[in-house]
Structure formats: structure tokens, C-alpha cells
Amino acid sequence: MTASATLPEASPLATLEIDLDDLLEFRPGLLSLTATQISDGRQTWTLTPRLTLTHHDHAGVGTLELDDGERRLACWRYSMGRNPAALKFERAFNRQRDSLASGLPPPPLLAGICPICRGPLAPDEDDCPNCARELHTPPSTWTLLRLWRFARPYKGMLLAGFLLTLASTAATLVPPYLTMPLMDDVLIPYQNGKPLDVAKVGWLLGGLLGAALLAWGLGWARTYILALVSERIGADLRTTTYEHLLKLSLEYFGGKRTGDLLARIGTETDRINVFLSLHLLDFATDILMIAMTAVILFTINPWLALATLVPLPVIGWLIHAVRDRLRTGFEQIDRVWAEVTSVLADTIPGIRVVKAFAQEAREAQRFREANKHNLHVNDRLNRVWSLFAPTVGMLTEIGVLVVWIFGIWLITEGSITVGVLTAFLAYITRFYTRLDSMSRIVSHTQKAAAGAKRIFDILDHVSSVPDPAKPLVLPPVQGGIRVENVHFRYGNRAILRGIDLDIQPGEMIGLVGHSGSGKSTLVNLICRFYDVSEGAVKVEGVDLRSVAVADYRKHIGLVLQEPFLFFGTIADNIAYGRPDATRAEIVAAARAAHAHEFILRQPFGYDSLVGERGQALSGGERQRISIARALLINPKILILDEATSAVDTETEFEIQQALNNLIRGRTTIAIAHRLSTLRRADRLVVMDRGRIVEIGDHDELMAREGAYWRLYQAQTRQLDALPALGAPVEEMEKPA
Amino acid sequence: MSSAPRSAPFALTRNPMGRLVYVGADGGIHEGVVPVRAFALSAPDQGIALMSAEGRELEWIERLDGLPEDVRGLIAEELAQREFMPEIKRIVAVSSFATPSTWRVETSRGATELVLRSEDDIRRLKGPGALLIADSQGIHFLIRDRKMLDAQSQRILKRFL
């Protein structure tokens, strides 16, 4: 244990880079473990069987402590990003120390198991996909180009649209060209006394009309085809985003506000759609128009063409300069807008609470404030934006002036005719109006890009409960579940710390414990709503992470405290998990769930509509519908999460009867606050702060007089001591 | 510091394993107690609870300065070791303005990098311009007043607000 120099020949078996020092300041450090020693660069300790390395974490900081059973020898800290590496280091240390103690060589690491999370590894993989998952690659700035993924299926139509654009743009460029001969060969000779060449006039005017009609027809076809395509792209985008969103884990939904997600899928996709069908199309036309016009102008007279194009770089620069400010502004507006809708999405579902506490004024104020913020951001952006368009307009006028000046000079020099100048002026008015509309594309592009980014934010989000690349086939499920050394961390809070539980097929397990003890989390992990941070949940000996999520979930029936009924008929709601169920099956499930009779009392029986939250039905009735729903899919594993705690005792009795039908022959995991409802459980698992503290049936646990007994006593005593409503209540303890 | 440090109704010591040991007025001994601030953000110095390793409140301390020197020192020491909320002094660079974005920042605890998973992880605190940024590892970074940052940092930050 004495400090000594590291032996030169000892190469480290494991190293750990730490990034915090004793004062919790960011400073790199290195721990290394050799066959006989552990060192942190400043001090070295010789391994003895008595040394222990323990790790714990709090608020994003992990701590490794080295002690010899009596004294703490050292303490190292790191930020949680290094936790997997730290756990690996700890394991290496334990293996080495144990082998020193026993004199045997350290056991080889088991193949096919991730050294960090102990999850299974695919045979050809070294890195566990679960542990290497946290990739933080930001989406590219060229987000709009990524829309190509959605445009690809419509390649053919897009090509047709492009060719039509080309043709219709060319057609619109014919009329100014015809003004040249009209001026030089007809009008000016006539003014100078020559007779009017009627045939030529007829030809030229016919050409003008023909070009206009052609441009009209081609323009119509182009707009129609491209609008068709963009509408489809928009719809694909919307459905793909929604499909992806549905596959994301509960963790994602927990961190997002509903209003924000609604806005993304609704408004943003629509904005992209309009951008594609309208603005992008215009922009493409503009570019074509400018390129073609430039070519025509240069073939007529290169010098005058040059003068015409002089303001172009200036406008280009202006667009570029304003672009960045506009883009950030539009992104900000989107976020603020989401904030405004979020206030609504927060308040409307909670309207009863708002009214009950008479906080309407406060909520109105909150909305007003969000709107004020919105106004403020918009005002700031409009300051830039309002300056932008008139400036482009002014530059246009100056451009026309330049052409006039230069053109008049060239005419006096005799190098061009009046017809050429007229044609030029006709062209550049088109040309500059195009530039003006092109400058608008900047804002539209930025808006669409901001929208696309927010959509791709969803699409790029990888589910934190990913389906494995090569899912194993789940053997026929009997209902046996093994929970092996499961840890779970949510954010920086450790919620489960080392749960081991073996559940037999057909067994009924009751989970009890104070709220916050990790019961619901354990159930969520068994349903694979979340993935374990460490350890594994196995069904029929197969790790849940190695089978397809949907494959597994169809074996699970879930009855929650707050039954959620979708808008639709009662029959639809019962058949939610198995839409192909026959009417007879639905009725049978409803009968078993003791729901049949009250359903028949509804005006349209099974065809009665129930609302978003099933408002027309009582809590107990809704619960029995959700029990029927779980019964219908005939699951092997049944999970009851406080299924009876939201109802009164009498209703509970009815629900209990329904549940008894449901439980028969299935592995059941029930969470209940009222311990009396769990009397029938084969085993009760008592949890406390993320650990299992007791397992046994009711009588055993009562005899043991441990944690369960205390819970039970507290509850029965509470019931006796609970003051009746209206009875005088003891005064609240005053703070000292 | 305090005018008249009265003796605390409990005793607090640190054992060789580095854990705090609490002996209550009733003589009950608890090892591994932790001090916790009740209002960690809005009033860090008011209301500190001593929690047992089982998560029960053992003692409620309204103000630290009422305690004897040694106890106060132990609590402050333990809090300093548990609390980790680096204060961002400067945002050097960000990998992108789209999230997830990696920020290089200079904090009160040295230079580091943080990964911002989404704009929603930036929480506005009550004070003027005060922000709390949760990074992907669960570390919280504090910006006391964003108006006090230098111009570049403010410009970067604005893109995320």
C-alpha cells in the first residue's frame, strides 16, 4: 500500500482518462491499472485483496473511490460521459484483485457480452450498439438538399416539369426579341416616310400572340405538374415524420412539448410544401430567365449587355449580406411560434386545474407574454427585411437608368439602332423584376430550411430503444421473465440500482413500495419502453434488446391507472390491439371484463362513440374497456400499473373481478398502492429506492415484520387514523 | 462570521472512509449523510437539509451561519464536492447551430465541451438573462446573465434561444 514508483516493465492492463480534479475543475488525469498496481500519476497503490474500488454518481459527476476497508485512500472524479469507461476500469480492477487474492489467473471476459453494459453482442461486433449509440452528429446545414430523399420517387415528373419550365421560359423571351425588327424594320422606316409593310407587321404581331399563347400553355402544364409533385412530397414528408415519431421511445416524448411537435408536423411540412411548389419553382424559372436573357443580350450587343449586368453583383452581395440575419431570424420566429402554441397545448388539457385555481388571468398573461416575445422577434427581423425589398427596387431603377444612359450614347455613336435599345429595355425590365422576386427567395428558402431542419431533427433522432439490425426470433413466449442486475438512470438520476428478479411463467408478482421506489420504472423496462442502463431483461432467455420491439410487445397486455380511450367507437377501442378481431371476440372480451352490460346501456351499444378521454364514461367503465382491450390480444404477460387506484372501492371490486379473469394463466406483474388488492399475488416484491428489499408472499412477509409489514401497518393504521372529510384536522406543523 | 454560534442540536463528523457521520439529538447515528440544498437555484443558501443514506430528512438547517464553525465547514466541504454546476464564462465555438450541437466553452471550472441535445434543454431561470443548460450527460451549466457574456458568445447563444 506504500507509494512506490511504477515498475517499468509493467504495462497497463486498463487505463481510465478522467477529466475532473478534486476541486471539480476540468483537468485531465489518467488512472492506470497494471497487474500489481493502480496509479493516478501522482500516487501508486499496490493491489491487495483488501482494496476495493467503488463508484457512484450524482448530478452528472461520477466518483471512483479506493479504500482498504478501513480508510478511503483516494477519490477520483469524472463527468458522466466517461461512466462506461469507468465501469470497465472498475471491472478490470476487480478481476485483477480477485485473481491476486485467489492466485488464479483472471477469468477471460465472456465473449459475446458487452463489457460495459453486459448486454449481448452480435457475433461480428466489437462495439455494443447500445453503448456506442450516443452519436452527436449535427444535421448538415444543407438540410434542404436532404429533401431529395423525398423527391426521388418523383424523378420522372420532376424532369418533365423542368423541361416544361425551360420551354415556357424560352417562350416568354420571344416577345421582346420581336420588338427589335418591329422597331427598326417597320416603325422607324414608316416614320421616315416609307410605306407600312403590312405582311411583316402581321407576321411580327402573330409571333407575339403565338409566343404569349405558347408561354401560357407551357406555364400551365409546368405549374400543374410541379404542384402535383410537391404536394406528394409534402404528404410523404408528413407521414414519414409521423411514422418515425411514433417509433421514438417514451424518453423522447417525455422531453418534448406536444404543441411543438404538432407545429413541426403540421405547419413546417406545409411550409416546405409551399416552398417547393411555389418559391423554388419561381426561383428555377428566374435563374433560367436570367441565364437565357444574358445570352440573348450578349449576342445582340456585348457592350450594352455588360452595362445591363453591372448591378447584378451588387444585388448578389446584398442578398448574401442579409441572408444570415434573416435565417437566424426565421429560426427564432419558428421557435417562438412553437412557444406560443405550447402555452395553448399546456393550458387546454389542464383547463380544469386552471379554472379550479382561478388562474385564467395568469394563463392569459403567459400567452400574452409569449405573443409579446413573438412580436419582438418579428419586429427585429422586419427591420432588416423591410429595408431589403425597397433597396432591391431602387437598384433596379438605377440599372434601368444605366442602360438608358449607355444606350443613348451608343445610338449617338451609331453603333446600335433604336430597336436594339427598345429590346434591351424590354428585356431588362423583365430581368430586374426577376431579380426582385429572386431576392424574395432568400427569405422563403431560409424559412423552408429552418422548417426542414426542425423536421429532420425528428427524423434524425434515433430511437433510444432501437430495433436490432439482425433481430433474433423470439421463441414461443411462455411468460418467464428474468431481470438480471438491472440498473437504470434517467438523466443523471439513478433510479434502479441492481435489480435481480426471476419471474416464472404464469406467476403473479405484486410490486409494492413507496412512490418513487422504482416500481413503474421496472415495469417500463420490462415493456421495453426504455432500455436498461446496465444489465439485461430477458424473456425466454433472450435479451429484449436483441428482438424486434413490436414482436415482443404483442405479447404484453397493459392496463394503466389512467385508461386512454381513442376517439372512436367502443368496439374500436376494445379491438385496438387486434383490429381484425371479430364482433364475437370483442363481445366475449367485454363480457370477461364485466364491461358488456354497461356497454349495452349506451345509446348505440358497441357502436357508441367515446371521446378523446372517454368523457361520457365513468372511470371504472373506462378501466373495464381497457381491460377488455388487454384481454382481447390474449397476452402472455400482463402488466397492471395501479389499475384500480383511480376508482372507488365498489368499482374496484368490479374491476377486480374483471381482472381475475384477465390474470388467469398469464404472467402478471401488478403495481398497486392498496396492498389489499395484491393479496392473491404468488410473490410480493418490495422495492425501496431502486432496490429490491424483500420477496415473499403476504403471510411470509407479514411474519418477517420487515419493510412490507411496515408498509402494511402504515396503511391499515392510516385508514383508521384518516380523518373523515369535514372532521377537524390537526393544525399543520409550523416551521420553526 | 456569525455573531454567536450556538452549539448545534446534532453532531457531524467525517469518518476515515470519507463519509459524514451524523449523531442526532436523540443519539441516533447515521453514516453517509448528505447535505442537500432545498432551493438549489433560487435560494442556495437558505434551507439545507441533511439527508440520511436512506433518503430521510434528519435535520433542517434554515441558515448555515447559525451553526458552529466545524459543522459548517464539513457541510460546505461536502456541498462543494457534490455540487457541480460550471458557470459558462465564454462560448468559444459551436459545431453547428442545429442540435445536437457540441459547444466548446470556458467555464468557472475550466475549459470543456458540452453536447446540447436540443434547444429545449436550455431553461430560462427567473433572474434577468439567467439560463441553465443541461448537456447530454446530465451536467448542468449555468449562465448567470447572458447579457454579461462577450459579444461573440451572445451572438452564438442567440441562435439557440
Side-chain angles (χ1 to χ4, degrees), chain A residues 159-463:
Chain A
L159 183 69
F162 178 73
L163 292 177
L164 281 169
T165 309
L166 210 62
S168 68
T169 312
T172 57
L173 288 177
V174 174
Y177 200 88
L178 292 180
T179 56
M180 219 162 30
L182 202 61
M183 203 59 86
D184 286 345
D185 302 348
V186 180
L187 287 178
I188 292 177
Y190 176 74
Q191 211 170 28
N192 293 344
K194 287 197 181 156
L196 199 67
D197 185 346
V198 180
K200 196 157 194 171
V201 171
W203 265 111
L204 289 171
L205 293 182
L208 281 175
L209 181 68
L213 287 176
L214 192 65
W216 171 75
L218 289 170
W220 168 78
R222 159 201 88 160
T223 313
Y224 178 68
I225 286 189
L226 290 177
L228 218 64
V229 172
S230 70
E231 207 59 58
R232 274 155 188 72
I233 293 176
D236 288 355
L237 190 64
R238 209 155 19 231
T239 43
T240 311
T241 313
Y242 183 57
E243 270 167 30
H244 187 82
L245 187 69
L246 284 182
K247 283 192 198 124
L248 290 178
S249 70
L250 285 182
E251 200 182 345
Y252 183 84
F253 290 94
K256 290 279 179 242
R257 291 177 295 185
T258 317
D260 180 48
L261 290 177
L262 289 182
R264 287 193 195 199
I265 294 185
T267 330
E268 310 287 4
T269 50
D270 194 49
R271 180 176 292 170
I272 291 174
N273 195 2
V274 169
F275 168 74
L276 289 178
S277 66
L278 225 62
H279 308 307
L280 190 63
L281 182 60
D282 282 348
F283 185 67
T285 318
D286 294 345
I287 292 277
L288 281 174
M289 171 83 87
I290 286 176
M292 287 179 180
T293 317
V295 170
I296 295 171
L297 292 184
F298 270 98
T299 51
I300 301 174
N301 186 308
W303 289 111
L304 193 53
L306 219 54
T308 316
L309 298 178
V310 164
L312 197 62
V314 181
I315 294 180
W317 172 82
L318 194 75
I319 291 173
H320 177 77
V322 172
R323 205 171 91 170
D324 266 2
R325 294 191 69 171
L326 286 179
R327 183 184 50 209
T328 56
F330 285 123
E331 266 186 37
Q332 212 172 8
I333 287 180
D334 283 349
R335 273 200 293 276
V336 173
W337 187 240
E339 202 178 298
V340 172
T341 40
S342 277
V343 173
L344 293 179
D346 262 3
T347 315
I348 294 173
I351 191 69
R352 284 182 65 178
V353 183
V354 174
K355 286 188 174 297
F357 286 86
Q359 294 299 313
E360 291 95 335
R362 201 249 292 263
E363 292 300 333
Q365 180 61 26
R366 206 151 72 96
F367 190 65
R368 195 174 305 133
E369 230 133 74
N371 264 318
K372 217 165 80 187
H373 192 182
N374 186 17
L375 267 184
H376 175 71
V377 171
N378 268 299
D379 286 351
R380 209 168 38 194
L381 185 73
N382 286 338
R383 222 170 296 153
V384 184
W385 178 233
S386 55
L387 192 67
F388 188 52
T391 312
V392 172
M394 190 185 69
L395 285 171
T396 312
E397 297 303 324
I398 291 175
V400 175
L401 198 64
V402 169
V403 174
W404 269 113
I405 295 168
F406 202 62
I408 291 171
W409 180 69
L410 282 179
I411 289 176
T412 55
E413 292 279 295
S415 49
I416 59 165
T417 60
V418 176
V420 170
L421 182 60
T422 324
F424 261 79
L425 286 170
Y427 272 119
I428 62 158
T429 29
R430 280 165 195 250
F431 192 92
Y432 277 118
T433 43
R434 283 304 164 190
L435 269 189
D436 185 40
S437 79
M438 262 178 91
S439 67
R440 284 177 218 278
I441 187 74
V442 177
S443 84
H444 295 309
T445 314
Q446 304 309 350
K447 273 186 192 175
K453 188 211 124 189
R454 286 156 59 77
I455 299 237
F456 280 107
D457 269 357
I458 296 181
L459 284 175
D460 288 341
H461 200 99
V462 183
S463 170

Side-chain angles (χ1 to χ4, degrees), chain A residues 23-26 58 61 65 67 70 72 77 79-81 136 138-139 256 328 332 335 453 457 492 689, chain B residues 16-17 19 53-54 80-84 96 99-100 109 112 115 118-120 137-139 159-161:
Chain A
L23 296 169
L24 286 180
E25 301 208 338
F26 289 104
H58 171 75
V61 177
E65 281 182 322
D67 71 74
E70 290 160 10
R72 180 163 73 175
R77 293 161 193 285
S79 61
M80 281 314 278
H136 295 304
K256 290 279 179 242
T328 56
Q332 212 172 8
R335 273 200 293 276
K453 188 211 124 189
D457 269 357
N492 57 21
R689 278 173 307 118
Chain B
M17 291 292 280
R19 314 240 186 290
E54 294 81 39
Q81 292 207 351
R82 282 175 61 79
E83 285 181 333
F84 188 63
S96 87
T99 51
R109 296 183 187 260
T112 189
V115 176
S118 100
E119 286 96 350
D120 296 343
Q137 302 296 343
I139 297 179
R159 297 281 300 264
F160 292 92
L161 296 177

Side-chain angles (χ1 to χ4, degrees), chain B residues 36-125:
Chain B
V36 178
R37 295 191 200 272
F39 299 93
L41 297 173
S42 57
D45 296 326
Q46 274 174 40
I48 290 171
L50 290 183
M51 308 289 282
S52 74
E54 294 81 39
R56 300 242 173 284
E57 181 183 353
L58 300 170
E59 197 71 46
W60 174 258
I61 303 163
E62 194 68 37
R63 306 201 70 90
L64 269 185
D65 25 348
L67 294 174
E69 197 80 34
D70 55 331
V71 174
R72 187 163 17 131
L74 278 175
I75 291 178
E77 195 181 297
E78 190 70 16
L79 280 173
Q81 292 207 351
R82 282 175 61 79
E83 285 181 333
F84 188 63
M85 196 161 58
E87 194 185 324
I88 294 179
K89 298 289 185 196
R90 199 160 88 83
I91 302 171
V92 183
V94 293
S95 66
S96 87
F97 291 111
T99 51
S101 165
T102 309
W103 295 18
R104 272 202 293 133
V105 291
E106 279 167 20
T107 71
S108 55
R109 296 183 187 260
T112 189
E113 286 193 349
L114 69 97
V115 176
L116 180 74
R117 231 188 270 159
S118 100
E119 286 96 350
D120 296 343
D121 290 335
I122 302 180
R123 175 180 154 195
R124 283 164 209 269
L125 298 182

